[in-house]
Amino acid sequence: MIGPDITGIAGKLGAAADTATAIPQLAAETGLDVDTAYAVQTALLQRRLDRGERLVGLKMGLTSKAKMAQVGVDEVIWGRLTDVMRVPDGGTVSVGDFIHPRVEPEVAFLLDRLPEPGEPVADFADAVRAVAPAIELIDSRYANFTFSLPDVIADNTSAGAFVIGPWCPVPDGLDNLGVLLEIDGRTAQVGSTAAILGDPRRALDEGIRLAGRHGVRLHQGWIFLAGAATAAVPLRPGAHVRAVVEKLGTASLKAAA
């Protein structure tokens, strides 16, 4: 029995991202399961690496009940970050480069050493050099931002772009910090870091475990996005977005047409 065409599916998703053109869901038609979807994600990443991008970290997806409910998926997932996806703090993104971009507030870690798979939360604190507020711009390549679990995994967990605020020392606790997402100075979402698996450090533990299943280990100097603390908000041209995380500070971006 012939399995899904991993290279072909990655090509369709890559072209959709490159041209900012939505495509129908692929999993049902192609027979993608979760493991094969991660293989497609790897092929999609290779397309980026082949054109000169660098892998700089990992990101978690669907780490909050709000996000699971928003997209109708109920399992934590992970994806890859490249240098080209990074936008400077306070920088500008072009909405026209994306299909239906949304923004969400996150917590980012800067890794100081290679954590071991399954390393307990209490023990890997010294693996994190610094922590920062962050914004992730997500952009599903599927029409109507609708997908199954294998679909979103194959699509690199809807990764689009990300902003990292100023790095700071890791505080004693990260499990219940207030989070705001502001659009044009108005509060759009209110949440807590407790929404990220109860504690963003648990997201790192999950990322190590889940990526390790597919032979991917985290590296010193990598960025790790722990997942969204609130539901995502559509990004409109001209908007100014700011994420505020208690004790950590702010991260911001502007949206051009």
Side-chain angles (χ1 to χ4, degrees):
M1 182 176 177
I2 299 174
D5 178 5
I6 291 171
T7 303
I9 296 169
K12 288 181 180 179
L13 286 166
D18 292 343
T19 61
T21 304
I23 60 174
Q25 294 181 54
L26 297 168
E29 175 188 343
T30 60
L32 273 185
D33 59 17
V34 166
D35 285 341
T36 312
Y38 277 114
V40 172
Q41 185 189 120
T42 299
L44 192 61
L45 171 71
Q46 191 60 51
R47 283 172 52 95
R48 288 179 168 270
L49 300 182
D50 288 346
R51 62 193 187 198
E53 297 184 36
R54 289 185 303 108
L55 183 61
V56 297
L58 298 185
K59 55 153 286 187
M60 298 301 287
L62 307 179
T63 52
S64 73
K65 290 182 180 179
K67 284 305 301 297
M68 289 181 183
Q70 188 175 33
V71 299
V73 175
D74 59 2
E75 183 174 317
V76 176
I77 56 178
W78 62 278
R80 333 294 177 97
L81 302 172
T82 75
D83 59 330
V84 171
M85 295 179 186
R86 186 167 183 175
V87 177
D89 188 21
T92 300
V93 297
S94 174
V95 173
D97 290 341
F98 303 96
I99 301 168
H100 26 215
R102 299 176 179 179
V103 287
E104 53 193 27
E106 302 217 5
V107 171
F109 295 118
L110 181 62
L111 300 184
D112 198 33
R113 67 168 173 83
L114 178 63
E116 295 295 330
E119 190 171 343
V121 169
D123 293 342
F124 68 63
D126 66 344
V128 176
R129 184 186 312 169
V131 64
I135 298 169
E136 186 181 5
L137 185 158
I138 56 174
D139 185 41
S140 175
R141 267 52 72 166
Y142 301 113
N144 302 317
F145 222 110
T146 303
F147 41 73
S148 67
L149 186 64
D151 278 315
V152 67
I153 290 169
D155 189 29
N156 195 27
T157 65
S158 304
F162 66 96
V163 175
I164 306 293
W167 294 109
C168 61
V170 182
D172 290 338
L174 287 170
D175 57 334
N176 193 24
L177 304 180
V179 178
L180 291 177
L181 181 67
E182 298 177 349
I183 307 292
D184 296 330
R186 296 188 177 94
T187 300
Q189 291 284 332
V190 178
S192 166
T193 56
I196 306 171
L197 296 180
D199 186 327
R201 293 172 295 183
R202 291 196 185 113
L204 179 54
D205 192 41
E206 281 290 286
I208 294 165
R209 182 180 64 82
L210 294 173
R213 284 184 185 173
H214 297 272
V216 177
R217 298 195 68 192
L218 283 70
H219 293 274
Q220 184 180 45
W222 271 15
I223 292 166
F224 183 88
L225 292 182
T230 72
V233 174
L235 182 64
R236 308 298 184 196
H240 182 274
V241 180
R242 192 170 79 122
V244 184
V245 182
E246 182 184 358
K247 295 185 180 179
L248 303 186
T250 67
S252 66
L253 66 80
K254 302 180 186 73

